[in-house]
Amino acid sequence: MADDEPAVGEMSGGARLRAALTTDTDPADMTALIEEAARTKDRLDQLDAILRGDTEMWAQLTEGRSGTLEIRVDSVMQEARQLTTVFRQTLAEIR
């Protein structure tokens, strides 16, 4: 491992997935699929952190049309389910 490469434990889930799936002989279309799978893995990890309460990004204050403050709660669970389906489909294409 080069000095500028992070240790495996310090890598994001997407980076670990990319490292596990990538080979030097991958064609461009396979590389693109692996990159997309890695990005999707990182997004799923972020959504999981929100659902576990490890981050406060699940809600935000916004100003409504009348100038009043509104609490907007994101549909994190729905997004996580949809992204999981996309992730599975992408991995199936890679294999």
Side-chain angles (χ1 to χ4, degrees), residues 47 50-51 55-63 69-79:
L47 291 171
I50 293 168
L51 291 169
T55 184
E56 297 176 11
M57 294 176 17
W58 63 273
Q60 61 184 346
L61 289 176
T62 59
E63 188 172 341
L69 288 179
E70 299 175 348
I71 297 176
R72 179 172 181 216
V73 178
D74 296 326
S75 55
V76 175
M77 182 60 80
Q78 178 183 359
E79 183 64 27

Side-chain angles (χ1 to χ4, degrees), residues 4 29 62 68 71 88 94:
D4 58 342
D29 59 340
T62 59
T68 60
I71 297 176
R88 286 182 186 139
I94 291 169

Side-chain angles (χ1 to χ4, degrees), residues 4 10 16 21 31 33 55 57 59 63 88 93:
D4 58 342
E10 297 172 0
R16 288 191 307 272
L21 295 176
T31 300
L33 281 172
T55 184
M57 294 176 17
E63 188 172 341
R88 286 182 186 139
E93 286 185 54

Side-chain angles (χ1 to χ4, degrees), residues 36-54:
E36 187 59 31
R39 282 192 293 272
T40 303
K41 171 66 172 130
D42 285 337
R43 289 182 192 122
L44 282 169
D45 288 347
Q46 289 174 341
L47 291 171
D48 184 57
I50 293 168
L51 291 169
R52 286 191 326 260
D54 292 346

